[in-house]
């Protein structure tokens, strides 16, 4: 069963890459033995730097299942997830992830995420893109209201 779903993710990666939809990456979300979401890299075709295969598969599955948590699902992705996708995977709460290519395989074809892995580990003051805190007191208003909100949907 696992190989069938991984082959689907790989097949999507090849088909969509050949169709010039984006890079050679594909993913499927599986729930109870059935594919409930499909995604592929759409960065260049949609001008969206967040439209990686895993993210688009997560969006598709969540839309279809009408939920923001995929804790009873598995993700099959044609390549080891980048830091952004890895974060999305944790936010979605997948129970398991299967991947094909490694991040080193991706680096060999000029999709190198090691820079991002290193950047995330740095203190904010040492990162390449300057980041400066601004208007924290005003921004805390939303957090205080959220904390007191009786009808909030926790996630």
């Amino acid at each position: 069963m696992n190989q069938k779903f991984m082959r689907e993710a790989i097949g999507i990666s090849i088909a969509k890459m050949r169709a010039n939809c984006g890079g050679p990456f594909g993913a499927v979300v599986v729930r109870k033995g059935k594919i409930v979401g499909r995604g592929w890299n759409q960065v260049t075709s949609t001008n969206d730097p967040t439209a990686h295969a895993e993210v688009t598969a997560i969006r598709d599955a969540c839309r279809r299942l009408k939920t923001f948590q995929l804790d009873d699902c598995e993700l099959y992705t044609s390549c080891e997830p980048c830091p952004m996708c890895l974060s999305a995977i944790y936010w979605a709460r997948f129970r398991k992830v299967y991947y094909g290519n490694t991040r080193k395989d991706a680096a060999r074809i000029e999709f190198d995420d090691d820079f991002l892995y290193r950047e995330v580990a740095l203190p904010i003051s040492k990162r390449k893109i300057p980041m400066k805190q601004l208007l924290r007191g005003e921004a805390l208003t939303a957090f205080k209201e959220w904390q007191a909100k009786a009808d909030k949907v926790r996630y």
Side-chain angles (χ1 to χ4, degrees), residues 134-154:
L134 188 63
L135 298 177
R136 179 175 180 255
E138 290 181 36
L140 281 172
T141 302
F143 280 15
K144 289 174 186 173
E145 285 188 29
W146 172 260
Q147 190 172 26
K149 188 172 172 50
D151 62 344
K152 63 185 163 203
V153 177
R154 296 184 185 273

Side-chain angles (χ1 to χ4, degrees), residues 55 58 81-93 120:
V55 171
I58 289 168
C82 75
M84 177 185 69
C85 293
L86 184 61
S87 296
I89 288 164
Y90 275 95
W91 279 116
R93 295 177 173 87
V120 167

Side-chain angles (χ1 to χ4, degrees), residues 6 30 39 41 47 49 56 85 89 93 98 112 118 128 138:
M6 181 57 74
V30 175
N41 183 285
N47 295 315
T56 61
C85 293
I89 288 164
R93 295 177 173 87
Y98 298 91
D112 193 355
R118 289 190 307 272
K128 184 176 180 184
E138 290 181 36

Side-chain angles (χ1 to χ4, degrees), residues 14-108:
I14 293 168
K16 297 301 183 176
M17 180 261 310
R18 288 177 179 166
N20 293 321
C21 293
F25 304 96
V28 295
V29 176
V30 175
R31 180 176 182 239
K32 298 178 182 174
K34 182 179 178 211
I35 294 175
V36 295
R38 287 179 169 79
W40 54 92
N41 183 285
Q42 299 173 42
V43 171
T44 58
S45 60
T46 63
N47 295 315
D48 180 353
T50 69
H52 288 200
E54 297 90 339
V55 171
T56 61
I58 289 168
R59 290 172 182 165
D60 186 41
C62 288
R63 184 177 55 254
R64 289 172 188 261
L65 297 174
K66 296 177 177 35
T67 185
F68 53 84
Q69 291 188 5
L70 301 172
D71 53 349
D72 61 347
C73 297
E74 298 171 341
L75 179 70
Y76 293 78
T77 178
S78 65
C79 187
E80 181 180 354
C82 75
M84 177 185 69
C85 293
L86 184 61
S87 296
I89 288 164
Y90 275 95
W91 279 116
R93 295 177 173 87
F94 280 96
R95 68 178 179 189
K96 194 163 193 175
V97 175
Y98 298 91
Y99 64 92
N101 294 312
T102 68
R103 67 193 226 203
K104 291 189 185 307
D105 295 329
R108 281 192 278 281

